[in-house]
Amino acid sequence: MSNDTLPATEPAQPVKPSKGKRPASLWSDAWYDLRRNPVFIIGAVMIALFMAISAFPGLFDTVGVDPSTCSLAQARKGISSEHWFGTDNLGCDVYSRVIHGARVSIIVGIVSAAVTGLVGGALGLLAGFYGRWVDVLLSRVAEIFFAIPSILGALLILAVIGRDNAGISSVVLALALLAWPMILRIMRASVITAKHQDYVVAARALGAGPGRIMMRHILPNAIAPVIVVSTINLGAFIAAEAALSFLGVGIQSPQISWGLMIADARNRFLEAPLPLLFPALFLSLIILSVVMLGDAVRDALDPKLR
């Protein structure tokens, strides 16, 4: 048979990925699921709204009343065109105080969640990667803090600091000091699982150092549980700040916080319920939105739930 009779073969064309195919990476796959999850969308929109209120309260305080300006003659007034949420026991506008009080509560929650995530995550990474005496030492220290009840420990810390020195930094210190061990344990368990994977063994065989292995190979694959827990902790820290302020050891006047507003209004609740109901409603809504966001992120990042 001559060569002229052989069938012609065309060069192979590269396979193009389909545009509708879902991405293979964990984070891209999680984002794909989150964008289609109504629980995540609702929670994210609510959190974005509260963030905007805390960052730019003047845009939402359309009443135009200074939250620090109070008049006893206007005490415990109902809803009106001048006071949308009524006035409290001192004659302060409740709507303006609720809007401006969002900043303190949200700042405490975000900073506390960030500090515990960074400190607990870093220590958990070291404990899980190096093991041996490093793991034993950090785990024993974490167990000491685990033995202290969170609210009771925060009350003790803030009582030692004193009411005159109480503020955002003091509340963040009290909350973060008692919450980082939980993040350490979660990160440690995730790192121990990740460091025995084939890609880590291959990187070590190729001569990668401990720092590169931790930061480039283990951390990106072990941090997902920490992100989920830190997101849920954001709501817990906001609620804890309100509880501490309600008990009189957290945020102090002239600062404004939802917990402090609830504490000031509790004695006259039956006579004037509005000064307590509105800050409690806003507090409940932001905690609900954070819980919704955390549940959606957990479902998206947990392969077992797919």
Side-chain angles (χ1 to χ4, degrees):
M1 182 181 294
S2 63
N3 293 336
D4 295 337
T5 61
L6 293 176
T9 58
E10 297 181 356
Q13 298 294 328
V15 179
K16 297 182 179 180
S18 60
K19 295 182 180 180
K21 187 177 180 180
R22 295 172 59 180
S25 111
L26 172 64
W27 301 103
S28 299
D29 200 35
W31 176 239
Y32 181 92
D33 291 339
L34 288 174
R35 287 180 298 172
R36 288 155 180 79
N37 189 341
V39 174
F40 171 78
I41 295 175
I42 295 173
V45 169
M46 292 175 63
I47 291 177
L49 177 60
F50 281 111
M51 293 290 184
I53 291 175
S54 65
F56 309 101
L59 297 178
F60 297 88
D61 189 6
T62 55
V63 177
V65 179
D66 188 350
S68 60
T69 301
C70 306
S71 174
L72 290 176
Q74 299 293 325
R76 295 183 294 278
K77 295 292 185 180
I79 297 176
S80 65
S81 59
E82 296 181 355
H83 306 287
W84 290 2
F85 290 174
T87 59
D88 61 10
N89 297 326
L90 298 177
C92 305
D93 184 74
V94 175
Y95 176 79
S96 297
R97 291 179 66 82
V98 167
I99 293 298
H100 289 268
R103 174 173 296 180
V104 171
S105 300
I106 292 176
I107 287 177
V108 169
I110 292 177
V111 175
S112 299
V115 171
T116 54
L118 291 174
V119 174
L123 296 178
L125 179 62
L126 295 176
F129 182 79
Y130 288 106
R132 299 183 180 180
W133 68 268
V134 177
D135 186 15
V136 172
L137 176 62
L138 293 176
S139 297
R140 297 297 83 79
V141 173
E143 289 175 358
I144 295 174
F145 285 91
F146 261 120
I148 305 174
S150 299
I151 296 297
L152 181 60
L155 280 170
L156 179 61
I157 294 172
L158 292 174
V160 172
I161 293 175
R163 297 184 60 178
D164 294 337
N165 298 322
I168 294 178
S169 58
S170 301
V171 175
V172 170
L173 174 64
L175 295 176
L177 191 61
L178 300 172
W180 64 268
M182 179 175 60
I183 301 295
L184 180 145
R185 282 194 170 184
I186 294 172
M187 188 67 172
R188 171 184 174 274
S190 185
V191 170
I192 291 176
T193 301
K195 75 175 184 179
H196 296 295
Q197 299 298 320
D198 292 339
Y199 56 85
V200 177
V201 176
R204 187 177 288 109
L206 292 174
R212 181 178 179 84
I213 292 175
M214 283 193 295
M215 302 305 297
R216 296 292 300 275
H217 300 282
I218 292 181
L219 183 60
N221 294 282
I223 200 172
V226 175
I227 294 177
V228 173
V229 175
S230 297
T231 303
I232 298 175
N233 280 348
L234 173 59
F237 287 135
I238 293 175
E241 179 276 322
L244 294 173
S245 299
F246 179 82
L247 294 173
V249 296
I251 303 299
Q252 303 295 323
S253 299
Q255 297 186 77
I256 305 172
S257 107
W258 291 333
L260 189 59
M261 293 180 63
I262 295 173
D264 293 339
R266 71 183 187 276
N267 294 329
R268 297 291 186 92
F269 173 70
L270 296 179
E271 182 181 351
L274 297 182
L276 188 148
L277 290 178
F278 282 111
L281 175 63
F282 274 65
L283 180 64
S284 301
L285 287 176
I286 190 171
I287 294 175
L288 174 62
S289 63
V290 171
V291 171
M292 293 173 62
L293 184 69
D295 288 343
V297 172
R298 179 200 60 194
D299 295 342
L301 292 178
D302 191 351
K304 297 179 182 179
L305 299 178
R306 296 184 183 279

